[in-house]
Amino acid sequence: MLMDDMGWGDLGVFGEPNRETVNLDQLAKEGMIFPSFYSANPLCSPSRAALLSGRLPIRNGFYTSNDHARNAYTPQEIMGGIPDYEILLPEILKEAGYRNKIIGKWHLGQQRQYHPLKHGFHEWFGSPNCHFGPYDNKVTPNIPVYKDAEMAGRFFQDFLIDTQSGESNLTQLYIQEALTFLEAQASSGAPFFLYWAVDATHEPLYASKPFLGRSRRGMYGDAVMELDYGVGKIINKLLELGVAENTLVFFSSDNGAATYAKTQGGSNGPFLCGKETTFEGGMREPTIAWWPSVIKPGQVSHQIGSLMDLYTTLLKLAGRQPPADRVVDGIDLTEVLLKNTEVERPLFYYRGNELMAVRLGDYKAHLWTWTNSLQEFNKGIDFCPGENIENVTTHAQVNNTMQPLLFHIGRDPGEKYVIRPNTMEYKQNIGLLMAAVQEHRKHLVPGIPQLNMCDRAVMNWSPPGCEKLGQCYQAPSTNPQKCSWPH
Amino acid sequence: MLMDDMGWGDLGVFGEPNRETVNLDQLAKEGMIFPSFYSANPLCSPSRAALLSGRLPIRNGFYTSNDHARNAYTPQEIMGGIPDYEILLPEILKEAGYRNKIIGKWHLGQQRQYHPLKHGFHEWFGSPNCHFGPYDNKVTPNIPVYKDAEMAGRFFQDFLIDTQSGESNLTQLYIQEALTFLEAQASSGAPFFLYWAVDATHEPLYASKPFLGRSRRGMYGDAVMELDYGVGKIINKLLELGVAENTLVFFSSDNGAATYAKTQGGSNGPFLCGKETTFEGGMREPTIAWWPSVIKPGQVSHQIGSLMDLYTTLLKLAGRQPPADRVVDGIDLTEVLLKNTEVERPLFYYRGNELMAVRLGDYKAHLWTWTNSLQEFNKGIDFCPGENIENVTTHAQVNNTMQPLLFHIGRDPGEKYVIRPNTMEYKQNIGLLMAAVQEHRKHLVPGIPQLNMCDRAVMNWSPPGCEKLGQCYQAPSTNPQKCSWPH
């Protein structure tokens, strides 16, 4: 269960003061929480590509080299997507006899060759892109929603989202799709992999009518409550079907809460900044593992984890190995899940093509700092609203490589108090962190950047199946150009 | 159990990422948590005086009128203290047959006439003041520690605190005192009131040797872990003695975490600023109620609560009424505890003699804003480190009374996004808040300010019992003067 732009601080169990996530809090009580679990990137597409490939975006190509340290993703006009060279989690699970379904947002490329069914999934209900605009199909097409390999309609035209009231039935559809899939799999007896990639907490926020206005947190809270309700439905279905004890449920989010969205965004709890940044608020995720009779209830794992670890861990549980011909960044967490052990591992915080920071143990070193440009900031786009830490939340890309900014994020989770370079603590720890960086770089072969080129001609003008729905539009002539990434 | 400078975000159950408060988190699972529970003041002495008198500091005299909106407390040279006119909680409980003990910090005045045994407590082990300096008994006396009405020694001289390593046995002594008291009460069968007012999380931080270095959070975390251990010991003792089902355990803190102490202070989670301020970080407290077989496990109360409510609630449970001849600000929470009902009530945020803000439902209006003076700030004293919200975290005392700053702290717990006065939401809500303020002011008769005058002669030069210990020092001649309160 991968949430969209949900922040670490959005669950009651992680300290959200309104305590509105009763099902997730219950899941946490019955399972294991991971307060130090991270996405592989502070932005959606690279994060999701990393989850499914087990590899950092710098390796799998989900980055741009057009501009230094810029976040890039997969808007409609993007030409790239997940390369065939990458062996995705569902591809290997398929070989192992699993039935794989993705419900919700794909985000690994919107051209046909990049779609889920070309990369290991048997079924799909959802969209290749975010559910935001253009809202006007005359100028550019609205995002299509797919049922497997064919278009089932488009957002706004067929799958309604009222941008005024926020009303939409999408989460209910995503819940129902999941329940139906689980029922089919339970009766077939075959193992399954369900990737529930819902997106109600991504702008524009939405919730179905019964949930609108229910939260104390406004529409963002309404969306969270409906997703929490969905989690409860799915868990109950697993129990009802008698497959819960054979099923690992893993809940997390793709990146930090979108603090720039102000009260339309979520909460990163005590952490600094949010989505798009390599501060803790950008990449620390609300994470829960649940597996009755296998994972003991009420546990806390201090393991530094990454969404990429799901790749290696799920393969291990399916009795398979990750490919041996490439570097896989995810590590195997099965011992962590089963025995609450802890493995030391460095964590790398990338932004686009730049390694911005590294964590090892409770120390984190920022090689580069950047929030966003002063120009963007002055337009009102603020990744760190209300937060201002001198020399840390910088609006210029600052290269600290020669003397990285060191923090102890155990006693200073908000990255407020830099450890001065003239202290023993700095001298004793910076070397270990930099050695991890050096080791990492030694083996690093960047993939071909997939997010460099855009072309309006590759948009979803005429997705497969559009003719049946009378929704085929004429594409303009091709005119590829470098994508521009301001963040 | 009243903590000292512990913040809302310091417990695992309230989102502290290192999750080191296993006993308190268990208490929360077995009891009821209050995410919207407040102290009556953002500073120690007024907060504690309000708890025990059930009345706001502006009524009970725990404020200064020397300077507008300044925080005042009870340092050694203070002349004032809790007036005899105030009827403290233990005074009424005593009449009801309770045996009352305070362990730890009193803070309601350090001259003899203000001591706990003069105001309803039967027993005392602890000190009238904070455990900080002067550390040098030649110039000014160290703070005495009392055993009931007589001095048992002094901090640093007899009750050691190693300010270098932070090592001290004090929390262990406070735990043992509690266990011994509980054993005695259980065997006597008489009802009891134990006020466990420990202070290890107040600077200078301390912990006993087995706890030093155990936390991932540095010495602050070590102190928290030892207090959490103490909570566990006390709970187990109640269970072991068979009195748990007759005992309400209530855990909270006296004010927000001391953010100015940087990594030596605690965490206020997602809330703005900290101790000394009337932002949420200054007064929202980590609060748990536990009472097996009476309070159902795993509950969340959204009641807006105050430490002053303990006065009214505990009297109710003891079958007594609060005094009828005065305004009591605390409300009766017994229905909330027993049935998880919710009562609407306004909450008033005072700083010294000024009503700074008011909360009603999920709306909060700031009539005044102030963090601290630019002069203090420039000396490095920062109540909102890393936080800077335009027109909100002001360094001048800004009077917004004509157009209060309105926030919805359900969707904006960090008080970052002011609701603009030209919106419907503002117009529909500000009137209700201001009506509550008007109603409050109509009945307000400020008490005689107790914290205006200081005199070095009233310091603890020769506390009762000093002669037995050879620790009587010569007081200087009396020279009363106005206390100076920079914050």
Side-chain angles (χ1 to χ4, degrees):
Chain A
M1 300 168 161
L2 188 74
M3 302 299 110
D4 202 347
D5 287 4
M6 190 180 277
W8 191 93
D10 276 329
L11 308 190
V13 61
F14 288 110
E16 200 291 309
N18 300 287
R19 296 256 161 188
E20 297 181 326
T21 55
V22 287
N23 292 294
L24 284 160
D25 296 355
Q26 183 63 28
L27 208 66
K29 270 188 199 166
E30 296 173 12
M32 182 181 257
I33 60 167
F34 289 82
S36 284
F37 206 91
Y38 292 82
S39 66
N41 195 268
L43 200 64
C44 44
S45 292
S47 174
R48 288 157 193 261
L51 187 164
L52 290 177
S53 67
R55 286 150 54 84
L56 283 165
I58 192 72
R59 293 192 220 276
N60 67 33
F62 268 64
Y63 69 95
T64 182
S65 59
N66 290 353
D67 233 335
H68 179 251
R70 295 291 168 108
N71 291 313
Y73 65 108
T74 55
Q76 267 217 73
E77 66 270 34
I78 199 80
M79 291 185 67
I82 191 73
D84 285 340
Y85 173 76
E86 294 299 321
I87 302 171
L88 299 196
L89 175 60
E91 293 182 65
I92 307 180
L93 291 177
K94 190 185 211 172
E95 288 170 16
Y98 278 70
R99 179 93 183 162
N100 308 318
K101 177 159 193 160
I102 166 171
I103 297 173
K105 191 193 279 188
W106 173 237
H107 242 212
L108 267 61
Q110 50 91 20
Q111 293 200 70
R112 244 170 261 197
Q113 65 271 32
Y114 302 124
H115 280 188
L117 270 60
K118 307 276 188 187
H119 292 269
F121 282 99
H122 298 90
E123 302 179 28
W124 182 21
F125 177 73
S127 61
N129 296 91
C130 273
H131 59 277
F132 48 64
Y135 319 134
D136 178 356
N137 60 37
K138 301 293 181 295
V139 182
T140 45
N142 281 323
I143 305 292
V145 174
Y146 282 80
K147 187 97 190 170
D148 301 329
E150 290 206 358
M151 179 180 185
R154 292 187 191 268
F155 285 135
F156 302 102
Q157 291 158 260
D158 310 288
F159 295 90
L160 305 182
I161 305 167
D162 185 324
T163 49
Q164 287 301 304
S165 70
E167 186 179 341
S168 173
N169 246 3
L170 277 167
T171 297
Q172 291 299 321
L173 293 179
Y174 294 146
I175 295 168
Q176 194 47 56
E177 279 284 324
L179 302 181
T180 307
F181 177 73
L182 294 177
E183 281 164 4
Q185 294 328 299
S187 73
S188 86
F192 63 88
F193 168 50
L194 171 61
Y195 179 38
W196 198 58
V198 289
D199 58 3
T201 44
H202 189 294
E203 279 189 296
L205 302 170
Y206 63 80
S208 67
K209 198 154 193 180
F211 287 90
L212 281 176
R214 258 173 76 170
S215 162
R216 290 173 184 248
R217 299 181 69 195
M219 200 187 293
Y220 186 88
D222 296 342
V224 172
M225 284 180 95
E226 187 163 16
L227 294 170
D228 178 75
Y229 163 86
V231 169
K233 294 293 276 187
I234 290 171
I235 295 295
N236 282 339
K237 182 58 75 181
L238 291 172
L239 292 166
E240 179 194 314
L241 294 169
V243 296
E245 294 191 1
N246 277 327
T247 306
L248 167 63
V249 175
F250 206 90
F251 178 96
S252 196
S253 180
D254 66 341
N255 45 244
T259 42
Y260 58 78
K262 303 190 173 80
T263 54
Q264 301 283 303
S267 163
N268 296 313
F271 299 117
L272 187 63
C273 302
K275 181 178 173 180
E276 306 243 20
T277 77
T278 47
F279 299 108
E280 292 298 290
M283 291 176 56
R284 205 149 353 168
E285 308 303 336
T287 304
I288 306 171
W290 182 88
W291 192 353
S293 85
V294 177
I295 295 175
K296 284 198 286 284
Q299 290 184 93
V300 177
S301 167
H302 292 292
Q303 177 65 44
I304 296 173
S306 161
L307 287 177
M308 298 183 293
D309 301 343
L310 290 177
Y311 185 87
T312 314
T313 306
L314 298 183
L315 288 181
K316 176 69 175 289
L317 291 170
R320 295 282 157 151
Q321 292 291 323
D325 63 344
R326 64 197 69 197
V327 175
V328 170
D329 296 288
I331 65 171
D332 172 18
L333 298 183
T334 51
E335 292 284 298
V336 176
L337 292 170
L338 305 181
K339 297 177 190 163
N340 207 350
T341 54
E342 210 174 320
V343 194
E344 187 173 87
R345 68 101 70 89
L347 191 91
F348 300 104
Y349 303 69
Y350 271 87
R351 182 160 172 163
N353 57 354
E354 186 58 80
L355 177 61
M356 304 286 285
V358 56
R359 176 178 174 177
L360 189 66
D362 281 331
Y363 288 97
K364 178 176 177 182
H366 290 272
L367 307 175
W368 286 81
T369 52
W370 192 41
T371 58
N372 61 350
S373 69
L374 208 51
Q375 199 184 3
E376 289 280 304
F377 177 73
N378 288 339
K379 281 193 227 161
I381 300 164
D382 189 352
F383 294 161
C384 313
E387 297 169 323
N388 179 24
I389 298 171
E390 215 181 309
N391 302 324
V392 177
T393 54
T394 60
H395 286 292
Q397 291 186 3
V398 178
N399 186 348
N400 306 293
T401 310
M402 294 305 290
Q403 194 171 72
L405 302 183
L406 185 67
F407 292 92
H408 185 284
I409 55 179
R411 60 173 190 258
D412 176 23
E415 293 165 283
K416 290 183 178 179
Y417 309 106
V418 73
I419 299 168
R420 289 181 205 289
N422 60 359
T423 59
M424 267 313 256
E425 190 177 15
Y426 190 95
K427 289 168 191 162
Q428 282 169 350
N429 290 286
I430 196 69
L432 299 169
L433 287 150
M434 294 312 287
V437 168
Q438 208 171 10
E439 179 66 19
H440 170 65
R441 286 195 169 136
K442 211 161 66 186
H443 304 287
L444 184 66
V445 183
I448 298 161
Q450 296 293 316
L451 309 179
N452 277 356
M453 298 305 292
C454 288
D455 184 355
R456 286 193 64 220
V458 306
M459 281 186 175
N460 293 288
W461 303 97
S462 297
C466 65
E467 62 288 341
K468 294 183 212 156
L469 303 166
Q471 292 189 10
C472 302
Y473 307 129
Q474 184 65 45
S477 56
T478 180
N479 179 22
Q481 46 196 291
K482 273 191 170 182
C483 309
S484 156
W485 302 109
H487 301 312
Chain B
M1 297 167 163
L2 188 74
M3 302 299 111
D4 202 346
D5 287 4
M6 191 181 276
W8 191 93
D10 276 329
L11 308 190
V13 63
F14 288 110
E16 199 291 311
N18 300 287
R19 296 257 162 188
E20 297 182 327
T21 55
V22 288
N23 293 293
L24 285 159
D25 297 354
Q26 183 63 28
L27 208 67
K29 271 188 199 167
E30 296 173 11
M32 182 180 257
I33 60 167
F34 289 83
S36 285
F37 205 93
Y38 292 83
S39 66
N41 195 269
L43 201 62
C44 44
S45 291
S47 174
R48 288 156 193 260
L51 188 164
L52 290 177
S53 67
R55 288 151 52 83
L56 283 165
I58 192 72
R59 294 192 219 276
N60 67 34
F62 268 63
Y63 70 95
T64 181
S65 59
N66 289 354
D67 233 336
H68 179 251
R70 296 292 169 107
N71 292 312
Y73 65 107
T74 53
Q76 267 218 71
E77 65 269 35
I78 200 79
M79 289 184 68
I82 192 73
D84 285 339
Y85 173 78
E86 294 298 322
I87 302 171
L88 298 196
L89 174 60
E91 292 181 65
I92 307 180
L93 291 178
K94 189 185 210 171
E95 289 169 15
Y98 279 70
R99 179 92 184 163
N100 308 318
K101 176 160 193 161
I102 166 172
I103 297 172
K105 190 194 278 190
W106 171 237
H107 242 212
L108 265 63
Q110 49 92 21
Q111 293 200 70
R112 244 170 260 197
Q113 66 270 32
Y114 301 125
H115 280 189
L117 270 62
K118 307 275 189 186
H119 291 268
F121 282 99
H122 298 90
E123 301 178 28
W124 182 22
F125 178 73
S127 60
N129 296 90
C130 274
H131 59 276
F132 48 63
Y135 318 136
D136 179 355
N137 61 38
K138 301 294 180 298
V139 181
T140 46
N142 281 322
I143 306 290
V145 173
Y146 283 79
K147 188 95 192 172
D148 303 327
E150 290 206 357
M151 179 182 186
R154 292 187 191 268
F155 285 135
F156 301 101
Q157 292 157 258
D158 310 289
F159 295 91
L160 304 182
I161 305 167
D162 185 324
T163 49
Q164 288 300 302
S165 70
E167 185 179 342
S168 172
N169 245 4
L170 277 167
T171 297
Q172 290 300 321
L173 293 179
Y174 294 146
I175 295 168
Q176 194 47 57
E177 278 285 325
L179 302 181
T180 305
F181 176 73
L182 295 177
E183 282 165 4
Q185 295 327 299
S187 72
S188 86
F192 63 88
F193 168 50
L194 172 61
Y195 179 39
W196 198 57
V198 288
D199 58 3
T201 46
H202 189 296
E203 280 188 296
L205 303 169
Y206 63 80
S208 67
K209 198 152 193 181
F211 287 91
L212 282 176
R214 259 172 77 170
S215 162
R216 289 174 185 247
R217 300 181 68 194
M219 201 187 293
Y220 185 87
D222 296 341
V224 172
M225 285 181 94
E226 187 163 15
L227 294 170
D228 177 75
Y229 163 87
V231 169
K233 294 293 276 186
I234 289 171
I235 295 295
N236 282 339
K237 181 58 74 180
L238 291 171
L239 292 166
E240 179 194 314
L241 293 169
V243 297
E245 295 191 1
N246 276 326
T247 307
L248 167 62
V249 175
F250 207 89
F251 178 96
S252 196
S253 181
D254 66 343
N255 46 245
T259 42
Y260 58 76
K262 304 190 171 79
T263 54
Q264 300 283 302
S267 164
N268 296 312
F271 300 118
L272 188 63
C273 302
K275 181 178 173 181
E276 306 243 19
T277 78
T278 48
F279 300 108
E280 292 298 288
M283 289 175 57
R284 211 169 314 191
E285 307 303 335
T287 303
I288 306 170
W290 182 88
W291 191 354
S293 84
V294 177
I295 296 175
K296 284 199 286 284
Q299 291 185 92
V300 177
S301 167
H302 291 293
Q303 177 65 44
I304 296 174
S306 161
L307 286 177
M308 296 184 293
D309 300 343
L310 289 176
Y311 185 88
T312 313
T313 306
L314 297 183
L315 288 181
K316 176 70 175 290
L317 291 171
R320 296 282 159 150
Q321 294 290 322
D325 62 344
R326 63 196 70 197
V327 175
V328 171
D329 296 285
I331 65 171
D332 173 17
L333 297 182
T334 52
E335 291 284 296
V336 177
L337 291 170
L338 304 181
K339 298 178 188 161
N340 206 350
T341 55
E342 210 173 321
V343 194
E344 187 174 85
R345 66 100 70 90
L347 190 91
F348 300 104
Y349 303 69
Y350 271 88
R351 181 162 172 162
N353 55 356
E354 186 57 82
L355 176 61
M356 304 286 286
V358 56
R359 176 178 175 178
L360 189 66
D362 280 332
Y363 288 98
K364 178 176 177 182
H366 290 272
L367 307 175
W368 286 81
T369 50
W370 192 42
T371 57
N372 60 350
S373 69
L374 207 52
Q375 198 183 4
E376 290 281 305
F377 178 72
N378 288 338
K379 281 193 228 162
I381 300 165
D382 189 352
F383 294 162
C384 314
E387 298 168 324
N388 179 23
I389 298 172
E390 216 180 307
N391 301 326
V392 177
T393 52
T394 60
H395 286 292
Q397 291 186 3
V398 178
N399 186 350
N400 305 294
T401 311
M402 294 305 290
Q403 195 172 70
L405 302 184
L406 185 68
F407 292 92
H408 186 285
I409 53 179
R411 60 174 191 260
D412 177 21
E415 294 164 283
K416 290 182 177 179
Y417 308 106
V418 72
I419 298 169
R420 290 183 203 289
N422 59 358
T423 59
M424 268 312 254
E425 189 177 15
Y426 190 95
K427 289 169 189 159
Q428 282 170 350
N429 290 285
I430 196 69
L432 298 170
L433 286 149
M434 293 313 286
V437 168
Q438 208 171 11
E439 180 65 19
H440 170 66
R441 285 197 169 134
K442 212 161 64 187
H443 304 286
L444 184 66
V445 182
I448 297 160
Q450 295 294 316
L451 309 180
N452 277 357
M453 299 304 292
C454 287
D455 183 354
R456 287 192 65 220
V458 305
M459 281 186 174
N460 292 288
W461 302 97
S462 296
C466 66
E467 61 289 341
K468 292 182 214 158
L469 303 166
Q471 292 188 11
C472 303
Y473 308 130
Q474 184 66 42
S477 56
T478 182
N479 178 23
Q481 46 196 292
K482 273 191 171 184
C483 308
S484 157
W485 302 108
H487 301 313

